[in-house]
Amino acid sequence: MIGAGRMGTNLARRLMRAGHECVVYDADPEAVSQVETYGALGAASIADMVGKLHAPRVVWAMVPAALTGSVVDELATELTPGDVVIDGGNSYYRDTVTRAAELAERGIDYVDAGTSGGVFGLERGFCLMVGGKEDVVARLDPVFRALAPGVDAARRTPGSAAEPATEEHGYLHCGPAGAGHFVKMVHNGIEYGQMAALAEGLAILRKADIGVAERESSAESAPLGDAEFYRYDFDIPAIAEVWRRGSVISSWLLDLTAAALRADPELAEFSGHVSDSGEGRWTVQAAVDEGVPAYVLTAALFERFSSRKEGDYADKALSAMRKAFGGHVELPAND
Amino acid sequence: MIGAGRMGTNLARRLMRAGHECVVYDADPEAVSQVETYGALGAASIADMVGKLHAPRVVWAMVPAALTGSVVDELATELTPGDVVIDGGNSYYRDTVTRAAELAERGIDYVDAGTSGGVFGLERGFCLMVGGKEDVVARLDPVFRALAPGVDAARRTPGSAAEPATEEHGYLHCGPAGAGHFVKMVHNGIEYGQMAALAEGLAILRKADIGVAERESSAESAPLGDAEFYRYDFDIPAIAEVWRRGSVISSWLLDLTAAALRADPELAEFSGHVSDSGEGRWTVQAAVDEGVPAYVLTAALFERFSSRKEGDYADKALSAMRKAFGGHVELPAND
Amino acid sequence: MIGAGRMGTNLARRLMRAGHECVVYDADPEAVSQVETYGALGAASIADMVGKLHAPRVVWAMVPAALTGSVVDELATELTPGDVVIDGGNSYYRDTVTRAAELAERGIDYVDAGTSGGVFGLERGFCLMVGGKEDVVARLDPVFRALAPGVDAARRTPGSAAEPATEEHGYLHCGPAGAGHFVKMVHNGIEYGQMAALAEGLAILRKADIGVAERESSAESAPLGDAEFYRYDFDIPAIAEVWRRGSVISSWLLDLTAAALRADPELAEFSGHVSDSGEGRWTVQAAVDEGVPAYVLTAALFERFSSRKEGDYADKALSAMRKAFGGHVELPAND
Amino acid sequence: MIGAGRMGTNLARRLMRAGHECVVYDADPEAVSQVETYGALGAASIADMVGKLHAPRVVWAMVPAALTGSVVDELATELTPGDVVIDGGNSYYRDTVTRAAELAERGIDYVDAGTSGGVFGLERGFCLMVGGKEDVVARLDPVFRALAPGVDAARRTPGSAAEPATEEHGYLHCGPAGAGHFVKMVHNGIEYGQMAALAEGLAILRKADIGVAERESSAESAPLGDAEFYRYDFDIPAIAEVWRRGSVISSWLLDLTAAALRADPELAEFSGHVSDSGEGRWTVQAAVDEGVPAYVLTAALFERFSSRKEGDYADKALSAMRKAFGGHVELPAND
């Protein structure tokens, strides 16, 4: 295991719980020490880690997408033919295709394993979307099965075969190199969309009391014609909670949101600058390349950009136009 | 219970399972007979139904939003002061506010109970979002509790009180008249958004093989520069299945989608004309009134309009403009 | 003329230039004095203004939408049967329908005249979209013709009749009461969309140098894979200028934008809080009511909401979810 | 001139009107013959064309983006150091960067000239957005000046210098290789957005009579609550015409749209399958790479995808979900 951050540590721990032995390396020696307390063997460098493994080795890289390239380059020089590298990070699937081809020239197999589950994966299991050569992926089956949540994690879908398929355990060989990262990419794109849908809905509930406040009217702002219909003072944490049982929108994201709202109903600890880590962008680019309309996934991505004030120049341009044609002067914020 | 469709029947059955007695009326006598087989007492008219109940009566109306008005009007003439009407349908919350005020003049209480759960509610329980006067809603507690899924339907949220609140049972008094329907409206708006996010993602996976096909190039179509990266032939039912366990997007909607895809992987039985039943529209209008950006919820609604070819005039106008400025001639569909 | 703001003053001046006499009232006596310098007769109150006109009177109200109601109410008590009120403001067309019906009961005609042209209308003429009864609108023809830009303001459309129709002069009787404001509403909706399209494009040009800057990589941000393709330092005022001649997007809005950018290339005088004055909202609501997909017009409206930070609660909810499932910690703004 | 389609022919004619001599080649000999009637010297092949020019040659390639690569490859073998290739087509700016570097190795200069103006460019002039080396672009000044519309094509922007800059003539050196195509790409992205804004608005006007028709109500469709406000039967060609004079949205696109609507008010000749030729897609990808929210430009692109029914699988997935959770059965199209 290369990388002992939130994800790497939990992957290693879950593997060890299933009886696998793990050697762990991280650029941060503190992180390595931490994982050693869970029973892993620490390594001081990639070379050290490789030396502590017996061929044919299986190395799982769990590092930020921006670092995967250099890690894989270093691995390429240390590993020997027959070894396998698993990239569990959020790599761009095109990079994966390229890396798999490069390692194949050295006789090293490359497997991409899109990994979902977040910080809860240790207990809940990880959902694994795998790409790579059929036989290599088959050989790794015990690894994936140990990490996956298992069949009991959800009610079986009606019409399933008696013997559960791997996808019912929570892992799936999706296709050749890059297929796992492609599916993980789309998974995250959907995640962005579902998060945004929920967040927008909560924001609409939150402002349902707008009719209570007095509003000054001017040529610069629309009168709220129906103030009497916007006088609800909703208990948003309670609403998130009630939706968790029996509603069509019950989901794990909602469970987490309800918990976050219970802990901090005003969400006061957050500034609202929402990062994006690449997969939402790549999903949009895939939609554009394929010619598939993806209004929702794209809007969800752009809302993250907007949250970081990336659209400010456009906003200023709008103000400049309004001043130019109508003499409109900007009102102060939150008019 | 007025209305013995999918929802009304299941509500009545779940109430009867909990020991409540139900009188059921539906404009369709067949539907009434059907519910009688589950132990309900059938009624031949609204007046008949009212006559078979003892005051103070509780009448649950579960009819399409477009019919609620006339049903309530008729109820208003049959019921007596102290009776309660519960509107469990997808009514526009503003209509609810108006109706509650009208019935109040006759001494009849009006409670709105936004009801989610679909055809699975009988077994799974219904999620209930309730609006109305405090004391009236409190008196109806046994009804709502019988219908709701109950605390065990989901893991309790960390930090909850020892004694579960009603929202943890799956029902919540959200506020005064209309509050229940407002919250249900936003719930459905979110539902539209989450459905669209998932559907768009599946469509992107579906077309990930676009690079395999030959494409002719012309000034009218963009060349696919990266055909080699779009050669995946994904097993979409298996992917929906794998996401059900351990992933961040696991949800009840995904469970249902996985089941639908298993039964019909090509979704060949559907034409793709997606209806909308009002709540998505009202959610957008609330967002607009409140000044809350709701890109995702709105796009999800518009995609339903588009699916029904409601945007065709705009499309034709685009083609007309392209012809006008560039001499572009339309290609046949699905170029 | 009631209202001597930017628009009212210019309307009166253009009417007077065409030989019409104008009595002008404004709540602000300074504004009235100003218009008197252009030759208008000032009035101290609505009653005073009415008294200074000969029946049958024609009163043009040019006030913010939020004030139109009270102005019309006062006019209703002062005017006499046979008089005409023209509402040239950005009123909601539904209010217009209601007001027209109310004034009709008193024998007063009500005409809605959606007015576009902004502060340049004095020289350029005003585009007028008129609703009301056929004969009344016909009687007002000299007024509309005086205000409109005239046939020479644009090249005639091929295939037009020898005798120019009124729409070729720049005014059009669109239909019964409210029709003018409906068309003006949609006009402004389109305006929002076209402004947003231009603003977004400029913002993309503006950030085309993003590849020059160093960017730190982390799990919280996507690496910019193609930095070498984002090293353009564009002269945005010059680009806006070049598009004005010969390009498909040449337009009056572009002319104004080019002028604004020349005066202030950084748009430093603007904070980017963009107001909206109702018509964009009503356009979206009409689209939703009609079931017409209007992705672009709606997104343009929501961008204005976003510019005013109205989406902050949703953003915070996203950050809360990311922290909950992935332990992600918010980066500072503009990461 | 390579390419004697709509654009290439008009470019050659406009150059010849300004006194330049042109040798024209097109894969279609008919097209070449046609241009010869305007005074050009025809060529039977690229080699033939090159042979008919004196070094240092200037070759303008005006071919579909998908063919530019092979044309440039052939040119590379035929031309000699000091020659210049101008790519006037809608090439992806990244390809331009690559091609410029490749030709530079052979001593051939490469200039990208994004060209807007459509079929009207012959009379109206072409708007030219140019990328390439400073000295090479400067040497080509007479070519660009001959093609551009000239200063008189629009009123000069206030504050401009006495001596008009090139952008005031309608051409601009935007930056190094690819800069011209980048700016043209964004130009077309804006064009998509402005076209969509106008088209959506017209569609809203078109359906403003929806309240006249009877509508059946069911649980599957939203009742139209406000039918009385949707009874306008608008004359859309007249409305497009009236907006041409004095309104804020007057533009060249509107001029063309008004002409198209006059010729065919129902737009009956169009099926509404709207092509996209690459630049809209690349604009979205640039926005995503830069992290700039571009809701409007993206929605406009996706509407073109939708118009070609590319979203059908997603629509079917929505129908499948609705059936799964609610037992909803699809209504026939255009319900």
Side-chain angles (χ1 to χ4, degrees), chain C residues 23-320:
Chain C
V23 183
V24 176
Y25 165 71
D26 192 286
D28 174 9
E30 293 269 355
V32 174
S33 306
Q34 182 65 30
V35 190
E36 285 182 314
T37 67
Y38 299 120
L41 183 59
S45 68
I46 287 180
D48 181 32
M49 182 196 70
V50 170
K52 285 174 171 161
L53 292 165
H54 303 289
R57 301 172 190 85
V58 176
V59 179
W60 187 298
M62 203 69 197
V63 298
L67 303 181
T68 303
S70 58
V71 165
V72 171
D73 287 348
E74 190 171 348
L75 277 172
T77 65
E78 301 289 344
L79 294 177
T80 53
D83 290 348
V84 181
V85 176
I86 303 174
D87 176 8
N90 280 336
S91 300
Y92 189 25
Y93 79 96
R94 298 186 179 199
D95 293 336
T96 301
V97 172
T98 308
R99 285 170 194 149
E102 287 168 1
L103 289 197
E105 289 175 15
R106 294 167 176 267
I108 303 169
D109 286 306
Y110 197 77
V111 166
D112 46 303
T115 304
S116 184
V119 291
F120 292 82
L122 175 59
E123 302 306 332
R124 204 171 168 254
F126 295 91
C127 177
L128 298 169
M129 297 148 258
V130 183
K133 283 197 293 183
E134 190 78 41
D135 60 327
V136 180
V137 173
R139 214 165 64 225
L140 297 169
D141 191 81
V143 172
F144 298 135
R145 188 158 298 212
L147 292 171
V151 177
D152 294 341
R155 216 165 153 169
R156 294 194 68 198
T157 295
S160 300
E163 180 63 30
T166 72
E167 60 264 30
E168 294 191 80
H169 287 271
Y171 65 102
L172 178 68
H173 181 213
C174 299
H181 279 147
F182 193 102
V183 174
K184 177 60 164 41
M185 168 187 86
V186 173
H187 167 279
N188 280 31
I190 294 169
E191 177 189 308
Y192 279 36
Q194 296 195 326
M195 289 170 70
L198 184 51
E200 289 181 4
L202 296 177
I204 294 170
L205 290 174
R206 167 89 167 182
K207 278 191 74 178
D209 65 350
I210 191 176
V212 173
E214 295 295 321
R215 272 171 51 114
E216 267 189 61
S217 289
S218 78
E220 296 301 309
S221 66
L224 179 63
D226 306 305
E228 72 270 27
F229 293 114
Y230 292 99
R231 297 198 171 156
Y232 297 113
D233 178 23
F234 289 120
D235 178 347
I236 296 183
I239 289 171
E241 183 67 43
V242 80
W243 287 341
R244 295 182 61 222
R245 291 175 181 85
S247 94
V248 174
I249 62 170
S250 58
S251 68
W252 192 54
L253 265 173
L254 180 61
D255 294 346
L256 297 171
T257 304
L261 283 164
R262 177 172 304 273
D264 178 6
E266 299 297 312
L267 302 175
E269 75 173 285
F270 302 100
S271 66
H273 298 118
V274 190
S275 294
D276 73 283
S277 50
E279 308 229 321
R281 299 181 181 212
W282 304 325
T283 301
V284 171
Q285 292 182 328
V288 169
D289 281 342
E290 296 179 8
V292 171
Y295 303 93
V296 160
L297 305 191
T298 306
L301 175 68
F302 287 164
E303 286 183 288
R304 296 192 174 197
F305 296 167
S306 296
S307 82
R308 304 194 308 251
K309 323 298 173 211
E310 303 278 6
D312 278 6
Y313 191 76
D315 295 337
K316 291 179 180 185
L318 293 178
S319 285

Side-chain angles (χ1 to χ4, degrees), chain D residues 40-308:
Chain D
L41 183 60
S45 67
I46 287 180
D48 182 32
M49 182 197 69
V50 170
K52 285 172 171 162
L53 293 165
H54 302 289
R57 302 172 189 85
V58 176
V59 179
W60 187 299
M62 202 70 198
V63 298
L67 304 180
T68 303
S70 57
V71 164
V72 171
D73 287 348
E74 192 171 346
L75 278 171
T77 65
E78 301 288 343
L79 294 176
T80 51
D83 291 348
V84 181
V85 175
I86 303 174
D87 176 8
N90 279 336
S91 300
Y92 190 25
Y93 78 97
R94 297 185 180 201
D95 293 335
T96 301
V97 172
T98 308
R99 285 169 194 149
E102 287 167 1
L103 290 197
E105 290 175 13
R106 294 165 176 267
I108 302 169
D109 286 307
Y110 197 77
V111 166
D112 46 302
T115 303
S116 183
V119 291
F120 292 81
L122 175 59
E123 303 306 333
R124 203 171 168 256
F126 295 92
C127 177
L128 299 168
M129 297 147 259
V130 183
K133 283 196 294 184
E134 190 77 41
D135 59 326
V136 180
V137 172
R139 213 166 66 225
L140 296 169
D141 190 80
V143 172
F144 297 136
R145 187 158 299 212
L147 291 171
V151 177
D152 294 341
R155 215 163 153 173
R156 294 194 67 197
T157 295
S160 301
E163 180 63 28
T166 72
E167 60 265 31
E168 295 191 77
H169 287 271
Y171 65 103
L172 178 68
H173 180 213
C174 299
H181 280 148
F182 193 102
V183 174
K184 177 58 164 41
M185 168 187 86
V186 173
H187 166 279
N188 279 31
I190 294 170
E191 177 189 307
Y192 279 37
Q194 296 195 327
M195 289 171 69
L198 184 51
E200 289 181 3
L202 296 177
I204 294 170
L205 290 174
R206 167 90 167 180
K207 278 191 74 178
D209 65 350
I210 191 175
V212 174
E214 296 294 320
R215 272 171 52 116
E216 269 189 59
S217 288
S218 79
E220 295 301 311
S221 65
L224 178 64
D226 305 306
E228 73 271 26
F229 292 114
Y230 293 100
R231 297 199 171 154
Y232 297 113
D233 179 24
F234 288 121
D235 179 347
I236 296 183
I239 290 171
E241 183 68 41
V242 81
W243 287 342
R244 295 183 61 222
R245 290 175 181 85
S247 94
V248 174
I249 63 170
S250 59
S251 68
W252 192 53
L253 266 172
L254 179 62
D255 295 345
L256 297 171
T257 303
L261 283 165
R262 176 172 303 274
D264 178 6
E266 299 297 311
L267 302 175
E269 76 173 285
F270 301 101
S271 66
H273 298 116
V274 189
S275 294
D276 74 282
S277 51
E279 307 227 322
R281 299 182 181 210
W282 304 325
T283 301
V284 171
Q285 292 182 328
V288 168
D289 280 343
E290 295 179 8
V292 171
Y295 302 94
V296 160
L297 305 190
T298 306
L301 175 68
F302 287 163
E303 287 183 287
R304 296 192 175 196
F305 296 168
S306 296
S307 81
R308 303 194 309 252

Side-chain angles (χ1 to χ4, degrees), chain A residues 116 124 127 151 154-155 157 168 177 200 204 207 230 232 241-242 244-246 248 250 289-290 296-297, chain B residues 116 124 127 151 155 157 168 177 200 204 207 229-230 232 241-242 244-246 248 250 289-290 296-297:
Chain A
S116 183
R124 202 170 169 255
C127 177
V151 178
R155 214 162 154 173
T157 295
E168 295 191 76
E200 288 181 3
I204 294 169
K207 278 191 73 178
Y230 292 99
Y232 297 113
E241 183 67 43
V242 79
R244 295 182 61 221
R245 290 175 180 85
V248 173
S250 58
D289 281 342
E290 296 179 7
V296 161
L297 305 190
Chain B
S116 183
R124 203 170 168 257
C127 177
V151 177
R155 216 165 153 171
T157 295
E168 294 191 78
E200 288 181 3
I204 294 170
K207 278 190 74 177
F229 293 115
Y230 292 100
Y232 297 114
E241 183 67 42
V242 79
R244 296 183 59 222
R245 290 176 181 83
V248 174
S250 59
D289 281 342
E290 295 179 9
V296 161
L297 305 191

